[in-house]
Amino acid sequence: MNKLVTEVLQGSVRAMARLITLVENEDPCSLEYLGAIYPHTGNAHVLGITGSPGTGKSTLTDRITTALRRRAQSVGIIAVDPSSPFTGGALLGDRIRMQRASGDSEVFIRSMATRGNLGGLARTTADVVKIMDAFGKDWIIVETVGVGQDEVDIVRTADTTIVVLAPGLGDTIQSMKAGVMEIADLYAVNKADRSGAEALLTEVKLRVEQDAEIKKTLWQAPVLKTVALDDQGTESLLDAVVSHRNFLKQSGNFEIVRREKAREETLSLLKEEISRTMVEKILGNGRFEALIDDIVAFRKDPYTSVQEIVGTIFPDSE
Ligand SMILES: Nc1nc2c(ncn2[C@@H]2O[C@H](COP(=O)(O)OP(=O)(O)OP(=O)(O)O)[C@@H](O)[C@H]2O)c(=O)[nH]1
Ligand SMILES: [Mg+2]
């Protein structure tokens, strides 16, 4: 087996950091390495933490990490900031807010920001999760800013997702879009020391109850109060996460969800690979520019042309 992969599996933090960098940079070797570590994954519990900017996700991540360490669990943290192209900035802020956790050698923190497209970022996040998992982290926390579709895609890699809300930040029922309700296994109403927290708590609880009634789900997302700043409510929140994990395992949902994820992931890899190799081949065969000349001159149209090209590559697909 490759030396770097072996070192990661043996628990070398430096090797893990290097492998993550290779994956982030889409190094040509990275797919082979990811393939080699794959059989060693599937042991960590992946916790997604998402919510509007400034709700206290990083502070909460820090508290949960400390609570996990008290329970003798090792932790990897991935802080994803889709809006920021500067990993350095994200890193600095997160390090400050995750001070306690970052001083612990059993805690590994990695920040990631948008490089290419967001689909890419979701993929990279999933790959980094696998690396930390193979390394042997018991828990992997993925913190991502925002509550839009892009973030939904990123936290989809998580087994359990906490949506963090806070009073005074415009977090209301209206802001809880369908996508968010879909991914939330738990809600943390953070900054419970602030006014408006009680009202927000009631509002979210009501919404969750209504939603659970309509969908007849087996798991109803608990809504818990926290004051991350003062480490209040952390243990209860973690207990609820553990309950959700047990629910997943006992109900058989764990296998269903993991299968769905494996399917989506493989399909997305397949699409990417087919697209890459086919386009390379087509562009390499010289006739493409002549075709473009025809399209520009209106002798051909792009729609029929694409169908024709695909038809020559896959003659049986009609
Ligand atoms: N009053 C109060 N402030 C808090 C609480 N939790 C966090 N904060 C403060 O809220 C601010 C934002 O906290 P962060 O943990 O950085 O929030 P975040 O959601 O990670 O922020 P982004 O990553 O920028 O979206 C900081 O100044 C925290 O100190 C809390 O429970 N109560
Ligand atoms: Mg943060």
Side-chain angles (χ1 to χ4, degrees):
M1 196 185 286
N2 173 274
K3 187 163 165 281
L4 188 64
V5 171
T6 309
E7 283 173 1
V8 171
L9 297 178
Q10 284 168 349
S12 158
V13 175
R14 278 186 54 196
M16 169 164 61
R18 273 191 46 213
L19 183 52
I20 293 173
T21 304
L22 291 180
V23 166
E24 278 187 322
N25 294 342
E26 291 175 54
D27 188 281
C29 296
S30 61
L31 289 179
E32 182 198 324
Y33 295 167
L34 286 167
I37 64 156
Y38 184 78
H40 303 274
T41 63
N43 301 309
H45 193 75
V46 186
L47 174 63
I49 299 189
T50 189
S52 307
T55 46
K57 297 177 296 296
S58 297
T59 315
L60 205 56
T61 298
D62 184 69
R63 301 301 185 185
I64 292 173
T65 303
T66 311
L68 281 167
R69 295 293 302 128
R70 280 198 293 268
R71 298 181 190 195
Q73 301 287 297
S74 61
V75 184
I77 301 172
I78 307 170
V80 192
D81 189 349
S83 59
S84 162
F86 309 109
T87 317
L91 185 71
L92 186 65
D94 288 327
R95 283 247 187 247
I96 290 165
R97 266 159 242 137
M98 296 181 195
Q99 252 163 4
R100 283 155 192 276
S102 60
D104 183 341
S105 65
E106 286 293 308
V107 177
F108 183 85
I109 305 178
R110 187 74 178 212
S111 293
M112 303 204 309
T114 309
R115 296 244 172 119
N117 57 25
L118 274 156
L121 191 58
R123 248 283 300 289
T124 311
T125 306
D127 290 341
V128 174
V129 163
K130 287 205 191 74
I131 295 168
M132 291 187 179
D133 189 349
F135 171 86
K137 290 297 182 194
D138 302 313
W139 287 74
I140 296 158
I141 303 179
V142 180
E143 179 201 331
T144 176
V145 187
V147 286
Q149 186 56 49
D150 307 329
E151 293 74 24
V152 169
D153 288 341
I154 292 169
V155 295
R156 210 159 252 152
T157 189
D159 299 309
T160 300
T161 297
I162 303 176
V163 170
V164 185
L165 304 160
L169 288 170
D171 273 339
T172 59
I173 291 183
Q174 278 76 21
S175 70
M176 287 170 56
K177 301 186 187 74
V180 174
M181 300 222 53
E182 221 175 86
I183 54 161
D185 301 304
L186 278 94
Y187 291 91
V189 174
N190 190 42
K191 305 198 185 182
D193 54 320
R194 295 226 176 134
S195 64
E198 213 53 55
L200 181 60
L201 188 83
T202 312
E203 216 179 289
V204 178
K205 273 186 175 165
L206 192 69
R207 176 77 193 259
V208 170
E209 275 165 26
Q210 287 171 343
D211 195 60
E213 203 158 298
I214 296 167
K215 292 184 185 146
K216 304 252 184 295
T217 45
L218 293 173
W219 173 263
Q220 183 173 324
V223 186
L224 298 166
K225 266 199 299 199
T226 54
V227 183
L229 205 56
D230 301 331
D231 198 14
Q232 283 177 37
T234 314
E235 287 291 336
S236 309
L237 184 64
L238 184 51
D239 286 343
V241 172
V242 172
S243 295
H244 180 254
R245 177 196 199 173
N246 294 339
F247 161 79
L248 286 178
K249 296 235 155 117
Q250 283 156 14
S251 64
N253 277 27
F254 205 65
E255 273 63 44
I256 298 172
V257 172
R258 289 227 162 159
R259 187 176 201 288
E260 187 52 38
K261 264 184 230 162
R263 192 177 189 283
E264 255 176 54
E265 221 176 277
T266 311
L267 193 60
S268 122
L269 274 169
L270 185 66
K271 283 180 189 167
E272 216 171 276
E273 194 57 20
I274 288 178
S275 155
R276 196 183 59 77
T277 50
M278 290 299 143
V279 169
E280 236 166 53
K281 209 171 157 189
I282 292 160
L283 292 184
N285 115 350
R287 282 203 300 255
F288 193 72
E289 295 310 319
L291 171 65
I292 300 300
D293 290 340
D294 285 342
I295 290 172
V296 169
F298 300 103
R299 287 189 292 269
K300 286 201 158 189
D301 74 87
Y303 311 97
T304 317
S305 307
V306 165
Q307 294 301 326
E308 280 169 10
I309 293 172
V310 174
T312 56
I313 298 170
F314 300 108
D316 308 332
S317 65
E318 286 300 301

